[in-house]
């Protein structure tokens, strides 16, 4: 995405870790003019990826940032990033709900129209039930997305809800993609159906912007109070 962005939020350590009270302090957030920075301390290296755009590796080498580009308070940048992370997780979760509904709509339509052995395949419970289950899972995830969004809009702490929404929605959309593939049989692989493309794209969200294990670790430690594992 950085290839198509004008601005980037960068979190950089501005006080050495050993001098900061906590490791999350002494970090500052900066707004970077991407076009101006490229070639002046920032190198962007695109990586060919299995999704519809590159992911990119960034290299910083003596990039100079105007002091005015500081976001929020110096040394308190982690809070700025955390706030943005919740918004990003809720946004991605909403995207996954959309993906899930796309797969379910496609699977349902195909299950109704494709006739094998003189009946629509969707008349068979072996085809119908997985789609119905995915529908229930996506709608349940959607409720958590709405809850997280409402809390975010109200300015409430919503780290747990944003994380849970992202985890539940990314898993529900992935399962819906899998069921959609299965429902379409061989045609699932035909590019004109766009299922294989969406299937690849929605897989990303169990890894980025945060992987499922780290969400579970956040819930285990910060919501349920269990010991920190790393
Ligand atoms: C297409 C794409 C776009 C991206 N866009 C952005 C972007 O715009 N901005 C940005 O900042 N980042 C972006 N990322 C990076 C993304 O946020 C990271 O890839 C993601 O957070 C996972 O981190 P990692 O790749 O370092 O995995 P790692 O940290 O190396 O983890 C690898 C695996 O090990 C597991 N793991 C690691 N530690 C533990 C542990 N202690 N316990 C249990 N399991 C563990 C993880 O869950 C994961 O499954 C993007 C990535 C991709 C693929």
């Amino acid at each position: 995405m950085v290839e198509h962005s004008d601005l980037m939020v960068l979190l950089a350590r501005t006080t050495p870790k050993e001098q900061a009270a906590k490791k999350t302090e002494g970090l500052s957030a900066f707004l970077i003019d991407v076009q101006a920075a490229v070639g002046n301390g920032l190198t962007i290296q695109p990586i060919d990826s299995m999704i519809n755009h590159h992911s990119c590796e960034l290299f910083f080498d003596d990039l100079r940032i105007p002091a005015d580009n500081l976001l929020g308070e110096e040394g308190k940048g982690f809070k700025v990033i955390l706030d943005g992370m919740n918004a990003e997780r809720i946004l991605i979760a909403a995207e996954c709900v959309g993906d899930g509904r796309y797969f379910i709509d496609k699977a349902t339509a195909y299950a109704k129209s494709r006739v094998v052995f003189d009946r629509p395949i969707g008349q068979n419970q072996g085809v119908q039930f997985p789609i119905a289950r995915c529908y229930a899972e996506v709608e349940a995830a959607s409720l958590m997305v709405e809850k997280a969004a409402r809390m975010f809009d109200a300015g409430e702490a919503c780290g747990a809800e944003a994380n849970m929404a992202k985890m539940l929605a990314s898993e529900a959309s992935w399962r819906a993609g899998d069921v959609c593939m299965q429902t379409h049989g061989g045609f699932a692989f035909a590019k004109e159906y766009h299922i294989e493309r969406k299937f690849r794209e929605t897989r990303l969200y169990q890894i980025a912007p945060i992987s499922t294990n780290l969400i579970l670790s956040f819930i285990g430690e910060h919501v349920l109070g269990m010991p920190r594992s790393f």
Side-chain angles (χ1 to χ4, degrees), residues 51 55 204 207-211 213-214 230:
I51 49 162
S55 49
L204 172 65
I207 291 176
I210 180 176
S211 65
N213 274 357
L214 291 209
F230 55 87

Side-chain angles (χ1 to χ4, degrees), residues 118-138:
D118 299 325
R119 53 200 247 152
I121 54 170
Q123 202 172 338
N124 303 304
Q125 293 180 345
V127 174
Q128 189 184 108
F129 284 8
I131 303 172
R133 176 176 293 278
C134 287
Y135 177 77
E137 288 176 352
V138 168

Side-chain angles (χ1 to χ4, degrees), residues 94-169:
E95 185 179 333
C96 291
V97 168
D99 285 354
R101 288 178 178 155
Y102 174 87
F103 287 129
I104 289 162
D105 286 351
K106 282 227 160 206
T108 305
Y110 194 76
K112 286 179 190 168
S113 65
R114 167 75 172 151
V115 173
V116 179
F117 300 126
D118 299 325
R119 53 200 247 152
I121 54 170
Q123 202 172 338
N124 303 304
Q125 293 180 345
V127 174
Q128 189 184 108
F129 284 8
I131 303 172
R133 176 176 293 278
C134 287
Y135 177 77
E137 288 176 352
V138 168
E139 292 311 303
S142 173
L143 289 179
M144 184 57 82
V145 177
E146 283 173 26
K147 179 178 181 184
R150 256 198 316 275
M151 292 173 76
F152 184 86
D153 282 349
E156 295 168 20
C158 63
E161 288 73 15
N163 272 304
M164 289 190 285
K166 206 287 286 186
M167 185 184 89
L168 295 171

Side-chain angles (χ1 to χ4, degrees), residues 1-2 49 51 53-56 88 204 206-214 217 229-230:
M1 285 301 179
V2 70
S49 307
I51 49 162
H53 58 84
H54 287 127
S55 49
C56 292
E88 184 186 25
L204 172 65
Q206 288 173 76
I207 291 176
I210 180 176
S211 65
T212 305
N213 274 357
L214 291 209
S217 152
S229 71
F230 55 87

